[in-house]
Amino acid sequence: MWRFVFIIIFVLSLAGCSVTIDSKNSEPKSDELSQEQQQPEETNVTESVAEQDSEQDQESKGFVELLENVFKIDWSSRVDIEARDVKYLALGDSLTRGVGDETQEFGYTIRLQKELEKWPAVKQVELDNRGKNGRRSDQLLALLQKGHYDEEIAEADLITLTLGGNDVMKVVKKHLFSMQKSMFDKALPNFMVNYEEIMAEIRMRNPEVPIILVGFYNPFSIIVDEITPFDPIIYEWNADIEKMAQQDENACFVSIEDLFTSNEDMVYHVDFFHPNSAGYDRMTTRIIETMQQCNIEQMSDGLFGFEEWEE
């Protein structure tokens, strides 16, 4: 017992030294593409080839007229879908803020932004990262109830949300020397009430926006590299978030707790609490995979997708 308490104190002391990461002011521009070489036009066209082309044109026109008459198709009403600018709002705690990402790319959010911009329907993604280190569910709910982010939520085309880790840590800090699982079981319903009200606040401002709910992981497994008393606690909290997401047809839950079970791949920052760039790479991959499984293309009416994405 005392060994585990010492581990928790050690992690908490390191986590307290974490700082938030600011986004880069600019991103490198892609190299200009080389111009294609112009192919010389053929000048000698025989009369027979010209006649064949004319016959094919007449056949094509006749086929179009047939479709118009039989199926009553008005070709003049067709409008090509053009790519447009979209707004991506990221809410939550230090995972959304990107704490621990030595590349200073706001963790998973900028990585996801770049992948979203590869979709043909997206011209440019405007990322608004409102994550804050240490933020709990009750704190975010209070901000939403006071009208914070009203405009940002109403105009968002996509919202991601990370919550839960700091709610668990609040119980840890309060009952450090007398922790029991029943204490976390008691805190879970209050957390879920806050989370459900947060979702309701978002839906009042934007009923249809896709919301990606990212779960959280057990930071203490990195120290002992074995199953800890926190594993079933984290599992149960994430399971309740997932159940809530399933009740919203435009919400999608992303599980990440299995991505951070050890530090073999250096997926944690030096504070032993947050992912580093490799960890955020893993998170982004999982988020994209899950968004595909949730059929984000249908959920967003074709605005978002990852058809050309490869791991």
Side-chain angles (χ1 to χ4, degrees):
M1 174 65 183
W2 287 105
R3 173 173 173 265
F4 190 66
V5 170
F6 172 77
I7 291 170
I8 295 176
I9 295 175
F10 174 69
V11 173
L12 290 176
S13 64
L14 290 175
C17 300
S18 300
V19 294
T20 56
I21 306 297
D22 293 329
S23 63
K24 293 184 178 179
N25 295 327
S26 61
E27 299 181 13
K29 297 181 179 178
S30 60
D31 296 332
E32 295 183 354
L33 299 177
S34 59
Q35 298 181 346
E36 298 181 355
Q37 295 180 351
Q38 297 182 350
Q39 299 295 332
E41 299 181 356
E42 296 184 4
T43 56
N44 297 325
V45 180
T46 63
E47 293 182 0
S48 59
V49 173
E51 292 176 356
Q52 292 176 3
D53 291 342
S54 178
E55 292 176 358
Q56 291 175 355
D57 290 341
Q58 292 296 328
E59 292 177 357
S60 298
K61 291 179 181 179
F63 180 69
V64 170
E65 291 176 355
L66 176 63
L67 291 177
E68 291 176 346
N69 294 330
V70 176
F71 297 102
K72 306 301 181 183
I73 297 177
D74 183 8
W75 298 98
S76 62
S77 64
R78 295 188 61 192
V79 179
D80 292 333
I81 299 176
E82 297 183 356
R84 70 174 181 89
D85 294 338
V86 298
K87 294 185 177 182
Y88 163 28
L89 175 63
L91 300 172
D93 51 28
S94 55
L95 288 181
T96 291
R97 188 67 182 175
V99 174
D101 183 5
E102 67 272 21
T103 63
Q104 298 186 8
E105 288 198 348
F106 272 141
Y108 72 86
T109 57
I110 286 186
R111 290 167 170 81
L112 181 58
Q113 173 193 24
K114 292 179 179 178
E115 295 300 330
L116 291 171
E117 289 179 338
K118 296 179 181 179
W119 186 245
V122 176
K123 182 178 181 181
Q124 183 178 0
V125 176
E126 178 184 334
L127 169 62
D128 188 359
N129 190 315
R130 297 304 178 102
K132 185 177 180 181
N133 192 17
R135 177 165 288 166
R136 302 188 308 270
S137 61
D138 59 314
Q139 295 171 331
L140 178 58
L141 176 59
L143 290 174
L144 296 180
Q145 291 175 336
K146 292 178 181 178
H148 287 254
Y149 317 137
D150 278 2
E151 182 178 350
E152 291 84 354
I153 293 174
E155 297 180 353
D157 297 295
L158 176 70
I159 295 177
T160 58
L161 181 59
T162 59
L163 284 174
N166 294 301
D167 292 79
V168 168
M169 294 309 300
K170 180 181 178 181
V171 179
V172 172
K173 294 175 182 178
K174 185 177 181 180
H175 304 284
L176 181 59
F177 297 101
S178 59
M179 280 187 299
Q180 296 179 3
K181 185 177 181 298
S182 59
M183 299 175 180
F184 297 92
D185 295 339
K186 182 179 179 180
L188 177 56
N190 293 330
F191 168 72
M192 289 309 303
V193 168
N194 292 338
Y195 214 137
E196 291 170 0
E197 291 186 10
I198 288 171
M199 291 291 289
E201 292 287 337
I202 293 175
R203 284 297 175 221
M204 282 193 299
R205 295 156 179 79
N206 196 330
E208 303 295 334
V209 62
I211 305 176
I212 310 302
L213 308 179
V214 183
F216 61 105
Y217 54 88
N218 177 11
F220 298 109
S221 62
I222 181 60
I223 305 298
V224 296
D225 199 17
E226 61 187 31
I227 296 177
T228 73
F230 280 99
D231 288 328
I233 295 171
I234 303 301
Y235 174 81
E236 291 173 4
W237 285 51
N238 278 321
D240 278 10
I241 299 174
E242 184 175 11
K243 291 177 183 178
M244 182 187 62
Q246 292 172 349
Q247 298 174 1
D248 188 318
E249 62 180 6
N250 283 340
C252 183
F253 173 76
V254 180
S255 175
I256 63 170
E257 59 186 287
D258 62 308
L259 300 181
F260 304 100
T261 56
S262 71
N263 198 28
E264 294 178 358
D265 298 315
M266 297 299 292
V267 294
Y268 279 76
H269 187 43
V270 292
D271 64 359
F272 290 94
F273 202 88
H274 297 95
N276 61 11
S277 61
Y280 283 115
D281 286 342
R282 287 188 173 187
M283 281 186 62
T284 306
T285 298
R286 176 62 59 82
I287 290 171
I288 293 174
E289 291 173 345
T290 308
M291 289 175 69
Q292 288 177 306
Q293 295 169 3
C294 291
N295 200 352
I296 186 63
E297 185 175 355
Q298 179 178 350
M299 189 183 298
S300 63
D301 293 328
L303 182 57
F304 297 116
F306 301 98
E307 183 178 358
E308 299 178 357
W309 180 83
E310 296 182 358
E311 184 178 349

